[in-house]
Amino acid sequence: DTAVSQTPKYLVTQMGNDKSIKCEQNLGHDTMYWYKQDSKKFLKIMFSYNNKELIINETVPNRFSPKSPDKAHLNLHINSLELGDSAVYFCASSHVGGRNTGELFFGEGSRLTVL
Amino acid sequence: GQNIDQPTEMTATEGAIVQINCTYQTSGFNGLFWYQQHAGEAPTFLSYNVLDGLEEKGRFSSFLSRSKGYSYLLLKELQMKDSASYLCAADNAGNMLTFGGGTRLMVKP
């Protein structure tokens, strides 16, 4: 069984469209994340979601909105897609113990291409 | 702010030893992670250092100096399959990891 699974793996769309990427984890972790990895391979945190508390990286445009229906799911919705949104988006989860961020378990990534 | 620096690329020979350095400046610090990422795949966990010193795990070891804001990953007896990107990440106590840009390691025969 895949621990962290995200769909779709590949997404090609036109500028201006709205799209969503879904993520599910079966590890029982309490915290989930979205990371963006651009063409230069820089892995940047976008969101962290823990027990209904959303922590947002302030550099993320508000066109990006995470939605968590329950502890095992964290979906990413993107409005009005732009060329610069093209990247690989990784979902991850961890068990946060006290003040420590636990080991991250990553999904396989969703490669978004905006034309 | 958060700042994590590591070399962009390194090349080493099969069977050799390579050390990948990472320096960090973060507001709040719990520990330092190293992840491995093969091309087109997800990052996978290698090590986590909380205290100063060297942690050894098979062919891979990781070192941390909190006072110097410095870590390194040491890979021994390099194999071709070790060709990958190695990502340094700081746990800044904010429930998020901040990653460096990654070091792309190429192992040659």
Side-chain angles (χ1 to χ4, degrees):
Chain A
D1 282 345
T2 304
V4 182
S5 59
Q6 51 184 114
T7 56
K9 286 190 171 46
Y10 299 95
L11 188 54
V12 181
T13 189
Q14 301 288 329
M15 259 194 327
N17 284 350
D18 303 339
K19 290 294 177 186
S20 293
I21 307 172
K22 295 184 177 181
C23 179
E24 176 182 3
Q25 55 97 1
N26 62 7
L27 297 167
H29 288 162
D30 50 19
T31 306
M32 295 183 72
Y33 311 81
W34 277 107
Y35 280 85
K36 178 182 179 181
Q37 189 169 45
D38 59 24
S39 57
K40 294 182 179 178
K41 305 305 180 187
F42 232 110
L43 200 60
K44 292 182 183 173
I45 181 71
M46 300 178 71
F47 304 101
S48 159
Y49 207 94
N50 172 276
N51 195 25
K52 300 184 180 179
E53 182 190 7
L54 177 64
I55 303 171
I56 299 174
N57 182 333
E58 60 189 21
T59 65
V60 176
N62 58 15
R63 297 182 295 106
F64 290 79
S65 54
K67 287 186 173 35
S68 180
D70 55 58
K71 205 171 75 164
H73 296 83
L74 182 64
N75 304 324
L76 181 65
H77 190 74
I78 316 169
N79 289 328
S80 304
L81 279 158
E82 300 177 358
L83 293 177
D85 297 334
S86 296
V88 180
Y89 292 84
F90 284 99
C91 176
S93 72
S94 72
H95 174 66
V96 176
R99 295 173 58 242
N100 295 328
T101 303
E103 173 190 343
L104 289 180
F105 290 78
F106 285 89
E108 293 184 343
S110 296
R111 181 177 292 277
L112 171 66
T113 303
V114 182
L115 303 175
Chain B
Q2 325 289 336
N3 194 34
I4 299 180
D5 288 317
Q6 50 182 131
T8 307
E9 283 189 355
M10 297 183 72
T11 302
T13 305
E14 195 176 14
I17 299 173
V18 71
Q19 177 174 313
I20 303 174
N21 296 325
C22 170
T23 58
Y24 62 89
Q25 290 176 309
T26 60
S27 50
F29 179 78
N30 276 341
L32 197 291
F33 285 88
W34 283 96
Y35 281 80
Q36 180 191 59
Q37 185 177 26
H38 284 100
E41 297 183 10
T44 54
F45 170 81
L46 286 178
S47 66
Y48 180 46
N49 291 66
V50 176
L51 302 175
D52 284 359
L54 188 68
E55 297 264 352
E56 297 187 68
K57 198 186 284 187
R59 294 189 299 115
F60 291 6
S61 303
S62 56
F63 172 84
L64 177 66
S65 169
R66 295 174 73 110
S67 60
K68 295 181 180 177
Y70 167 68
S71 173
Y72 68 71
L73 180 69
L74 192 71
L75 294 79
K76 301 177 187 175
E77 300 169 19
L78 279 172
Q79 301 175 10
M80 298 299 291
K81 68 178 183 178
D82 297 330
S83 292
S85 287
Y86 291 86
L87 310 173
C88 169
D91 176 0
N92 66 0
N95 287 3
M96 291 193 278
L97 295 191
T98 301
F99 282 83
T103 299
R104 188 175 159 214
L105 174 66
M106 288 172 280
V107 180
K108 296 187 174 179

